[in-house]
Amino acid sequence: MRLYISSPLGAAANLPRTLRRVARLYRKGVLDDSSTVWINSDVRESTFWILSWRPTCIVWIPASTSGTVRLARERIRWAATHKASSSDPDFDIHLDRLPAEQIKHVTVVVDHHHPTDHVQVLDRAAGSAAMVDGFYQGTLASVIDLKNFVAPPPEQRPVITKFAQSLAFVQGTRLLTTGMNRSQISHFEENVESFGIDVSPEFLTVLSDAIDTFDSGAGVLIERLGRSNQLAGSI
């Protein structure tokens, strides 16, 4: 996998968080060894660009439950309930805040850990939307229910076109240069490969295994709490 990373001053706070999310997308099959990812670690919003079996701007929603995503032409909202997603959303994201020129180039990743519930999607262009294997491809945007996502087999994934590659590189570079002045942007574009790093499958596997270990340990605590409604004794 190829990573392009800019604004190292923000690395201490934002980069590890984004790398954890990249590792989780890799584990779920959204990303693979041939993917490219663009990360600006100074951008506070939970966004980054990817080129995998499709090019898109990832918007990450760390959620307490599966909830409901509402897609509109210039806006994406999420809340724990259907009603709140319209009137009082926990996340209210406008296109002009995202490093994407069109909402259709955005993928919302809802990161919840509810064992049985699925993310609900309301697409303004289509009404209620049915997710398949934890994925919805709308005309306005896409949604991934990370808990329930199952990646399509390689033979069913679309072929990456030259346009898709160009779109991802242009928009990814736009994200990386956010906050830079004209001189800095010029320098960055002339030396963009010096901001890139190749990450081996072995390293990505180490990150994924570490996440699995943490999730398993947390699951033990949650299961015990669910059985006894208290954390009695020791583990």
Side-chain angles (χ1 to χ4, degrees):
M1 183 186 295
R2 183 75 169 168
L3 298 182
Y4 289 94
I5 303 170
S6 70
S7 301
L9 292 177
N14 296 330
L15 185 55
R17 177 191 65 186
T18 305
L19 289 178
R20 285 195 298 271
R21 292 170 176 176
V22 168
R24 296 187 70 190
L25 293 181
Y26 179 79
R27 181 179 62 173
K28 296 292 286 188
V30 180
L31 298 171
D32 57 30
D33 296 332
S34 61
S35 299
T36 306
V37 180
W38 292 261
I39 301 169
N40 184 328
S41 54
D42 269 350
V43 174
R44 292 187 178 183
E45 290 80 6
S46 301
T47 61
F48 51 97
W49 260 88
I50 68 169
L51 175 63
S52 188
W53 41 281
R54 53 194 302 273
T56 190
C57 174
I58 297 291
V59 173
W60 199 278
I61 295 180
S64 56
T65 187
S66 53
T68 299
V69 177
R70 285 183 180 264
L71 305 177
R73 295 195 178 278
E74 303 291 332
R75 185 180 178 191
I76 296 168
R77 289 168 287 175
W78 178 91
T81 66
H82 182 282
K83 181 179 179 180
S85 68
S86 175
S87 58
D88 187 25
D90 296 279
F91 290 86
D92 193 355
I93 303 160
H94 293 257
L95 180 60
D96 58 8
R97 288 170 45 195
L98 299 176
E101 293 181 355
Q102 297 185 53
I103 205 80
K104 70 178 183 179
H105 297 146
V106 175
T107 296
V108 181
V109 176
V110 182
D111 180 16
H112 72 94
H113 298 278
H114 197 286
T116 58
D117 284 359
H118 296 255
V119 173
Q120 304 297 312
V121 179
L122 296 175
D123 188 336
R124 184 173 179 181
S128 296
M131 301 193 80
V132 178
D133 291 330
F135 179 73
Y136 172 69
Q137 176 65 68
T139 56
L140 297 178
S142 304
V143 179
I144 289 177
D145 178 345
L146 196 61
K147 174 72 175 177
N148 299 294
F149 179 78
V150 179
E155 64 272 13
Q156 293 182 12
R157 301 175 189 178
V159 176
I160 299 299
T161 64
K162 291 292 185 181
F163 173 79
Q165 293 176 354
S166 298
L167 172 68
F169 273 87
V170 169
Q171 295 297 324
T173 300
R174 177 188 172 198
L175 170 62
L176 295 184
T177 56
T178 297
M180 295 184 183
N181 60 38
R182 188 172 300 177
S183 175
Q184 291 170 324
I185 292 174
S186 178
H187 172 77
F188 182 90
E189 291 176 345
E190 291 173 2
N191 299 276
V192 63
E193 290 305 320
S194 66
F195 293 84
I197 182 172
D198 291 317
V199 182
S200 69
E202 292 77 16
F203 183 76
L204 288 166
T205 299
V206 168
L207 290 181
S208 298
D209 289 346
I211 292 171
D212 282 337
T213 300
F214 177 84
D215 288 349
S216 297
V220 171
L221 289 173
I222 293 170
E223 183 180 358
R224 170 173 286 188
L225 184 61
R227 290 199 307 263
S228 63
N229 201 34
Q230 60 181 350
L231 293 176
S234 61
I235 290 180

